[in-house]
């Protein structure tokens, strides 16, 4: 892995882990690895993908709205509401990186997944 991708992966992992910690429950890692980002030219652009899942978080809707959203906005992340009737979904993006927080409306489980911006392989 390149030094740039390693740095970006560390930043993404740190922000997703800090968001997961706001929900209070232990997070299970769902994805953590390098991804080929250009299907038309395999092996030329890579990004890092990282995700976690929390089965029994405390008050996820309130924590997303009152803690996560204002904190990340202060840190320069743009947010976009992508909610559906089944899920509360907020997408965050900054400097080509993005991640999405999904809160299931029925079970209140939380999934957070994102990727870095692509870098040359």
């Amino acid at each position: 892995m390149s030094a740039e991708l390693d740095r970006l992966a560390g930043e993404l992992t740190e922000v997703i882990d800090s968001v997961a910690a706001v929900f209070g429950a232990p997070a299970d890692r769902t994805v953590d690895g390098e991804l080929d980002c250009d299907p038309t030219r395999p092996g030329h652009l890579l990004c890092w993908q990282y995700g976690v899942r929390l089965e029994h978080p405390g008050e996820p809707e309130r924590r997303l709205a009152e803690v996560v959203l204002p904190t990340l906005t202060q840190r320069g992340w743009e947010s976009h509401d992508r909610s559906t009737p089944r899920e509360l979904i907020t997408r965050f993006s900054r400097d080509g990186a993005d991640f999405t927080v999904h809160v299931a409306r029925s079970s209140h489980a939380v999934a957070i997944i994102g990727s870095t911006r692509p870098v040359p392989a």
Side-chain angles (χ1 to χ4, degrees):
M1 175 167 42
S2 74
E4 179 68 359
L5 187 56
D6 190 41
R7 182 185 67 77
L8 295 171
E11 290 174 2
L12 179 70
T13 300
E14 182 180 317
V15 74
I16 288 177
D17 285 347
S18 70
V19 169
V22 169
F23 295 105
D28 295 317
R29 190 173 297 162
T30 57
V31 64
D32 185 9
E34 202 172 273
L35 184 66
D36 194 336
C37 295
D38 186 355
T40 63
R41 296 180 57 218
H44 285 89
L45 283 178
L46 300 174
C47 65
W48 193 264
Q49 193 173 44
Y50 182 73
V52 298
R53 181 169 175 80
L54 299 96
E55 290 296 330
H56 303 288
E59 302 179 288
E61 295 92 344
R62 184 186 66 75
R63 290 180 187 197
L64 178 59
E66 295 178 11
V67 180
V68 174
L69 194 56
T71 300
L72 290 177
T73 300
Q74 265 186 337
R75 294 180 183 165
W77 289 87
E78 292 182 28
S79 66
H80 307 279
D81 184 10
R82 302 281 191 243
S83 297
T84 68
R86 292 180 46 182
E87 285 186 300
L88 180 62
I89 303 169
T90 304
R91 180 173 181 243
F92 295 94
S93 56
R94 183 179 78 182
D95 301 328
D98 65 74
F99 69 94
T100 308
V101 178
H102 298 258
V103 177
R105 294 190 194 270
S106 59
S107 70
H108 303 291
V110 173
I112 308 167
I113 188 165
S115 62
T116 65
R117 68 175 167 76
V119 298

